[in-house]
Amino acid sequence: MNAPASPAAPDALPRHFLGLEGVSAATINRILEEATRFRRLVEQPNKKADTLKGRTVINLFFESSTRTRTSFELAGKRLSADVININASASATQKGETWLDTVRTLEAMTPDALVIRHAESGTPHMAARALSSHCSVINAGDGTHEHPTQALLDILTIQHHKGPIEGLRVAIVGDAAHSRVARSQIHALHTMGAAEIRLVGPKTLIPARAEEALGVQVFHDADAGLEGADVIIMLRMQLERIRGAAVPSQREYFRLYGLDRRRVARAADDVLVMHPGPMNRGVEIASEVADGPYSVILPQVTNGLAIRMAVLKLLAGGESA
Amino acid sequence: MRTVIRGGRVIDPASGRDEVADIAIANGRIQAVGDVPGDFDPDRVIDAGGQVVCPGLVDMHVHLREPGQEWKEDIESGSRAAAAGGVTSVACMANTQPVNDRRSVTEQIKSAAQRAGLSRVHPIGAITRDLAGETLSEMHELASAGCVAFSDDGRPVPDAGIMRRALEYAATFDYLLILHEEEGALSAGGAMNEGAHATRMGLAGIPNASEDVMIARDVILAELTGGRIHIAHVATAGGVELIRQAQAKGLRVTGEAAPHHLFLTDSDVGEFNSHAKMAPPLRGPADREAVRAAVADGTLSVIATDHAPHEADAKNEAFACCANGVTGLETLLGLTLRLADEDVMDLPTALARVTSGPAAVLGLEAGRLGVGEMADICLFDPEAQWAVEPERMYSRSTNTPFAGWELRGRVTHTLVGGRVVYPFGGEE
């Protein structure tokens, strides 16, 4: 997150929400508390609040995404904000305008928050630096860098089922090298006091010097990596990486790293199985596990809505610096 | 014009001279160093008291962008930046548009440089036509038009067979090949050094091996062919070691370091700072130390800027997509002096790396202050502090990662062939 631009209230959030690296536990807890309240709201028949009435949120997606965009859109609408969705990959940029010009043009329409998704790492940071108004930038996933709201919904889900994160052993399995979610999860899990964070996968899918860069333990043997884990977070396998040189075949990948009932049995008895979706059944996760008793994959989606409502309220609602 | 430069600390690394002395200049050449003959009647006296007088700097790795990309830089603006930086000889790379792979482009560069009249510009011709790595350029034709070496810089020569033939052909005439070492398949998609910082930033990395395997290949091919190679912008400890081994075997292999690799590391990418994006990328601290040590012991006998100007828009893209490269002509002297300040090497050795070192590699008559040499001279105040302010630079582009740095050593005069080319609009 960026430093506040002006003197802020003591418990105000930074103006932009760009990632979870370096974000304090107090800030994360504030978002989680807000999200917990919204979670109750979204389970009621009347799901709408007036919190952001008169405020404008623009979802600016330079990379297509169904679930994240829908989640942000619904979150804004449930808070009564005016929500605009722009699929920029199919509009202005094709006319030759740079993506940053698109950002500046939209800023001139005086929104309160710009939710940005982009295929290149660091773009929300550049956008935040380029803005001159008090509009907040919210990172909805940048390249292979961060996806902070996705990670917080995982934290909320874990807390909901297991209580405090403190002391938990978490195994993140799969393509961490290309996962923005994994980086954000790791930062948040560290901040919230997880005892162990393990990355599990072949060397081709583990980012360079992960131990030093991210403070994790690396396992190339899935059985060892899952031993005693309290939480298993499966990552989506990009199928083009299987056609490329990272993994020889789906068959071999599933045999070595796929999560089936036998592997789940290595983890703690009350293990939680998570997946950010969309899942590749039979590639990274077996249906018996995805639909099984330990899976919280669908509650994750509901929590995602609550987290995005919380972030929008705290930033677009004027509670940020 | 007969000129005397009076009372400066004359440092001429080529001869080992380091003493307070006078220099007499007539007909564009140095007539005397030390005691000026009594009958030498100067038209002009430059008081160099308290200043260092050294050979004009030779930057053998510069992109002047003309023809084809004059909005980034042109020969006039690049020459102006050189003069302001104390650089009197500039070797410019072939990746212009069109590529300098034909006589007409070489001649165009030389004549534009002559019109600017601010520095000696030495074109470097392409190794392969259109830098495509497929067909050899007409090296002999290019050399006869004035090219001093050959390089596809900006790109490697990917095909080992073509590289072998290029080396053999060049060796026939003892031409020098300057090599950008990068294995495309290993650096594909990469935006910065592969390491912990890239992992945290979520940026695809370029491993040291991308440089090292190509240096190894080309050292082996130099041995096979008897060719003469110069490795551009060496950035890795492994690359340094390969060059050291090649030199120990007696192969004709030289190398250069760029100032940014001598002072910065991959952590200077910070929060996606596009001014820290270049090829090869900024490496880790151990690499920086190895490159510094190699410059100090002469394994790398050259510091060259890889001056690569880009307009703001080219740097204003997402980090992975923005242009590679930084400007360097105006910070070369200050950063070279800083190496001496940081005790990496003594001052004469540091100055050798930007004067006689590159002149020797290119075979230029430059970089020396002996009697009879051309009067290409740089005067600087070694104590003057100055801040790097991009908006005050003469280069048409201001993409420097050193903005805000405090440097010591300010150029006061630059002479080319005895003419004062800096300060601009001086006596001549």
Side-chain angles (χ1 to χ4, degrees):
Chain A
M1 287 196 184
N2 279 8
S6 55
D11 60 345
L13 262 68
R15 181 177 147 207
H16 303 297
F17 191 57
L18 304 178
L20 291 173
E21 185 175 10
V23 172
S24 70
T27 297
I28 291 176
N29 277 326
R30 178 100 202 274
I31 297 169
L32 293 174
E33 284 159 18
E34 208 60 71
T36 303
R37 279 194 282 278
F38 283 129
R39 209 197 129 96
R40 287 195 283 273
L41 177 71
V42 301
E43 283 166 352
Q44 289 168 12
N46 180 4
K47 300 175 173 63
K48 220 153 164 152
D50 286 342
T51 316
L52 293 183
K53 200 166 168 96
R55 310 271 173 159
T56 304
V57 175
I58 299 182
N59 292 326
L60 180 52
F61 277 56
F62 293 95
E63 181 188 62
S64 58
S65 152
T66 302
R67 60 182 61 209
T68 302
R69 207 216 63 200
T70 306
S71 183
F72 268 108
E73 179 180 358
L74 208 48
K77 285 181 170 165
R78 295 242 166 114
L79 295 173
S80 304
D82 296 317
V83 181
I84 311 289
N85 292 312
I86 296 173
N87 181 5
S89 56
S91 63
T93 47
Q94 289 194 347
K95 295 179 187 165
E97 184 174 77
T98 69
W99 73 272
L100 207 52
D101 282 335
T102 305
V103 167
R104 290 192 182 108
T105 303
L106 293 172
E107 185 201 11
M109 298 180 192
T110 67
D112 299 284
L114 273 177
V115 178
I116 297 180
R117 166 75 156 251
H118 200 290
E120 297 296 343
S121 300
T123 42
H125 303 70
M126 280 184 74
R129 286 197 289 260
L131 295 191
S132 54
S133 70
H134 280 279
C135 174
S136 293
V137 173
I138 296 168
N139 183 359
D142 63 322
T144 51
H145 181 219
E146 287 226 39
H147 193 353
T149 55
Q150 179 71 34
L152 287 190
L153 75 85
D154 294 332
I155 298 288
L156 184 66
T157 308
I158 297 169
Q159 278 193 351
H160 195 82
H161 288 86
K162 287 201 162 284
I165 304 293
E166 211 165 4
L168 293 180
R169 283 166 293 187
V170 181
I172 300 173
V173 184
D175 187 4
H178 304 93
S179 170
R180 48 191 162 212
V181 185
R183 281 171 183 72
S184 291
Q185 284 164 342
I186 291 165
H187 295 314
L189 287 166
H190 277 308
T191 305
M192 302 307 284
E196 256 180 61
I197 305 171
R198 307 170 184 171
L199 289 187
V200 182
K203 284 188 175 183
T204 47
L205 299 179
I206 300 292
R209 293 166 70 177
E211 295 94 335
E212 175 195 345
L214 302 169
V216 296
Q217 291 175 270
V218 172
F219 289 80
H220 301 306
D221 175 345
D223 289 344
L226 295 177
E227 195 70 47
D230 298 301
V231 178
I232 301 171
I233 301 176
M234 300 305 293
L235 297 176
R236 173 179 159 70
M237 186 69 197
Q238 311 269 329
L239 295 179
E240 66 269 22
R241 304 208 193 287
I242 290 180
R243 287 194 297 271
V247 176
S249 69
Q250 291 188 17
R251 179 169 166 268
E252 178 142 315
Y253 182 75
F254 188 74
R255 178 177 294 175
L256 289 171
Y257 297 102
L259 192 64
D260 57 14
R261 204 177 342 193
R262 184 189 62 81
R263 279 215 170 99
V264 171
R266 296 206 160 249
D269 292 342
D270 59 345
V271 66
L272 216 55
V273 173
M274 305 173 76
H275 192 297
M279 287 181 285
N280 297 304
R281 290 171 185 261
V283 178
E284 67 253 0
I285 192 164
S287 284
E288 64 190 10
V289 177
D291 305 327
Y294 306 110
S295 167
V296 289
I297 293 169
L298 290 175
Q300 283 179 267
V301 178
T302 312
N303 286 335
L305 185 57
I307 285 287
R308 282 154 191 145
M309 288 171 79
V311 169
L312 284 176
K313 180 199 164 186
L314 293 171
L315 273 78
E319 294 194 29
S320 67
Chain B
M1 175 83 75
R2 295 156 73 84
T3 304
V4 168
I5 300 171
R6 184 155 288 158
R9 176 184 171 191
V10 176
I11 301 178
D12 178 30
S15 66
R17 182 190 292 271
D18 182 359
E19 61 183 0
V20 174
D22 299 340
I23 294 181
I25 300 162
N27 301 321
R29 290 190 179 266
I30 294 171
Q31 304 297 321
V33 183
D35 293 325
V36 175
D39 60 351
F40 190 88
D41 183 23
D43 306 301
R44 169 179 54 197
V45 175
I46 298 174
D47 177 10
Q51 298 199 48
V52 170
V53 180
C54 70
L57 276 52
V58 178
D59 189 348
M60 67 175 287
H61 192 143
V62 171
H63 299 271
L64 287 178
R65 305 297 188 207
E66 182 181 352
Q69 293 182 301
E70 289 83 356
W71 66 90
K72 294 176 188 281
E73 190 84 287
D74 59 30
I75 289 168
E76 202 276 338
S77 64
S79 299
R80 197 164 281 275
V87 178
T88 54
S89 292
V90 166
C92 59
M93 286 297 173
N95 59 342
T96 48
Q97 294 173 359
V99 169
N100 185 15
D101 59 4
R102 64 206 79 170
R103 172 181 276 272
S104 59
V105 176
T106 309
E107 289 173 344
Q108 184 184 348
I109 292 168
K110 286 187 75 80
S111 84
Q114 205 156 17
R115 275 198 303 280
L118 294 164
S119 67
R120 298 183 199 277
V121 173
H122 301 282
I124 293 168
I127 296 173
T128 63
R129 281 188 203 168
D130 209 26
L131 311 179
E134 292 167 0
T135 309
L136 299 190
S137 65
E138 294 175 328
M139 290 188 204
H140 189 267
E141 173 87 352
L142 288 165
S144 66
C147 287
V148 294
F150 298 90
S151 180
D152 280 1
D153 184 64
R155 298 183 191 178
V157 177
D159 185 306
I162 301 290
M163 189 66 203
R164 175 196 176 163
R165 296 304 176 206
L167 275 163
E168 283 175 339
Y169 192 74
T172 310
F173 310 100
D174 200 30
Y175 296 150
L176 174 72
L177 299 191
I178 300 172
L179 303 176
H180 174 120
E181 303 292 34
E182 181 175 0
E183 215 297 317
L186 289 175
S187 56
M192 66 176 291
N193 181 47
E194 180 175 298
H197 200 67
T199 289
R200 271 199 304 276
M201 308 298 284
L203 290 168
I206 300 171
N208 283 20
S210 171
E211 275 173 78
D212 298 352
V213 297
M214 286 295 258
I215 295 176
R217 181 199 78 172
D218 290 340
V219 163
I220 290 166
L221 291 176
E223 185 168 22
L224 173 70
T225 60
R228 191 154 64 90
I229 61 174
H230 176 80
I231 311 297
H233 40 51
V234 177
T236 65
V240 163
E241 198 45 43
L242 287 161
I243 293 168
R244 198 170 271 138
Q245 288 167 11
Q247 290 171 344
K249 282 175 84 173
L251 302 180
R252 299 198 297 167
V253 178
T254 55
E256 76 194 23
H260 41 270
H261 293 129
L262 290 165
F263 286 97
L264 306 175
T265 65
D266 57 354
S267 64
D268 288 293
V269 169
E271 286 270 304
F272 305 98
N273 173 14
S274 63
H275 291 318
K277 183 166 183 243
M278 61 275 293
L282 297 173
R283 298 295 187 182
D287 296 299
R288 180 180 61 180
E289 292 315 306
V291 174
R292 283 182 162 211
V295 172
D297 71 19
T299 303
L300 303 178
S301 59
V302 175
I303 299 172
T305 61
D306 193 4
H307 178 80
H310 287 293
E311 75 281 17
D313 284 347
K315 283 288 190 183
N316 219 2
E317 289 285 338
F319 189 89
C321 308
C322 75
N324 281 313
V326 305
T327 58
L329 283 165
E330 289 163 83
T331 46
L332 174 60
L333 179 68
L335 292 167
T336 300
L337 298 178
R338 195 173 173 125
L339 290 173
D341 283 349
E342 293 182 8
D343 289 327
V344 178
M345 63 198 83
D346 61 27
L347 179 59
T349 304
L351 289 175
R353 302 295 179 253
V354 290
T355 57
S356 53
V361 169
L362 287 180
L364 298 179
E365 186 192 354
R368 313 168 74 93
L369 289 183
V371 173
E373 303 280 358
M374 289 197 294
D376 293 357
I377 300 175
C378 169
L379 277 72
F380 64 89
D381 178 349
E383 299 306 323
Q385 294 266 2
W386 62 288
V388 179
E389 296 172 278
E391 62 278 11
R392 289 189 172 208
M393 289 185 159
Y394 292 99
S395 171
R396 188 155 284 173
S397 295
T398 56
N399 46 307
T400 171
F402 297 108
W405 279 44
E406 292 282 336
L407 297 180
R408 204 161 62 79
R410 177 124 232 185
V411 176
T412 61
H413 294 79
T414 306
L415 281 70
V416 173
R419 286 187 310 116
V420 175
V421 296
Y422 179 83
F424 303 118
E427 304 94 309
E428 291 166 318

